[in-house]
Amino acid sequence: MTGLGALIRRNCKLFFKDKGMFFTSLITPVILLVLYATFLAKVYRDSFAAAMPAGFAVDAALIDGTVGGQLVSSLLAVCCVTVAFCSNLLMVQDRISGARRDLTMTPVRRSTLALGYFAASALSTLLITAQYAVITHVFSALLRLSQSFRKAHDISHTEVEPLPGNRVQSLRRIAHQHGTMGNRSGGAG
């Protein structure tokens, strides 16, 4: 078992020391987090609101919580796949560099060698996914905090000075069109 432990430590150290492989595994979850923060959250919220039947009201906090749960689950799912894939690339690197041949010459069985690769991959994936879980929960908590701040200070209903001329009428017409489009329940028309 000490051979397996040494192989797991070796593979984990190699994965975390190789900055290119490490950051490649993190890029997809970071892209997803940026997309979510920029516009996906609004798209999810709007799709939930559009799916509600006419006359059925749901608290915005409940919809935001559901959207936040979607963020957490999708980010963790993507993270599990990309980190595991990139950490398993260490097997390919060892084969290309000849380190695999050196490892098979030792008294360690091939099954222990393979188990070392996969256990190190699972451990690396678990560590990074746990970090992303903490990041997404902090992000969700900050969203809830900002929503409670807006609700407490009533920032969302702040009056602004009207625009001069025909701009006011065109903006009201656009707002009215969007307001009536959100109340429709499916179908064309």
Side-chain angles (χ1 to χ4, degrees):
M1 209 48 144
T2 58
L4 178 63
L7 285 171
I8 293 172
R9 277 192 303 279
R10 172 203 177 262
N11 294 336
C12 284
K13 283 181 183 178
L14 285 176
F15 174 71
F16 287 111
K17 279 186 179 180
D18 187 356
K19 300 299 181 201
M21 192 183 320
F22 178 69
F23 287 119
T24 301
S25 69
L26 297 181
I27 192 130
T28 305
V30 167
I31 289 171
L32 185 62
L33 188 62
V34 168
L35 286 174
Y36 179 83
T38 54
F39 73 92
L40 277 180
K42 185 177 179 340
V43 170
Y44 284 155
R45 255 186 239 108
D46 291 345
S47 67
F48 276 119
M52 295 295 158
F56 189 76
V58 176
D59 188 24
L62 182 62
I63 291 177
D64 289 338
T66 306
V67 169
Q70 264 189 329
L71 162 72
V72 171
S73 63
S74 62
L75 190 66
L76 293 181
V78 166
C79 191
C80 286
V81 172
T82 57
V83 174
F85 178 77
C86 287
S87 63
N88 277 322
L89 287 176
L90 185 62
M91 285 189 286
V92 176
Q93 278 185 343
D94 281 352
R95 187 165 289 245
I96 290 171
S97 69
R100 174 78 183 237
R101 185 182 33 210
D102 295 342
L103 289 170
T104 55
M105 300 236 180
T106 62
V108 176
R109 295 189 323 217
R110 289 183 187 264
S111 60
T112 305
L113 188 61
L115 187 61
Y117 281 122
F118 291 117
S121 175
L123 184 62
S124 301
T125 302
L126 183 66
L127 288 172
I128 293 174
T129 304
Q131 289 176 351
Y132 266 110
V134 169
I135 289 170
T136 55
H137 288 318
V138 167
F139 184 73
S140 296
L142 289 174
L143 282 177
R144 283 192 306 271
L145 183 67
S146 71
Q147 288 170 356
S148 64
F149 178 79
R150 271 189 273 139
K151 189 180 280 186
H153 296 288
D154 201 21
I155 292 175
S156 61
H157 301 298
T158 305
E159 294 287 330
V160 292
E161 292 185 28
L163 296 173
N166 291 337
R167 291 184 186 175
V168 174
Q169 293 172 350
S170 63
L171 286 175
R172 283 183 183 156
R173 185 174 48 250
I174 292 170
H176 178 67
Q177 289 171 348
H178 286 285
T180 56
M181 288 174 64
N183 293 336
R184 292 182 186 160
S185 59

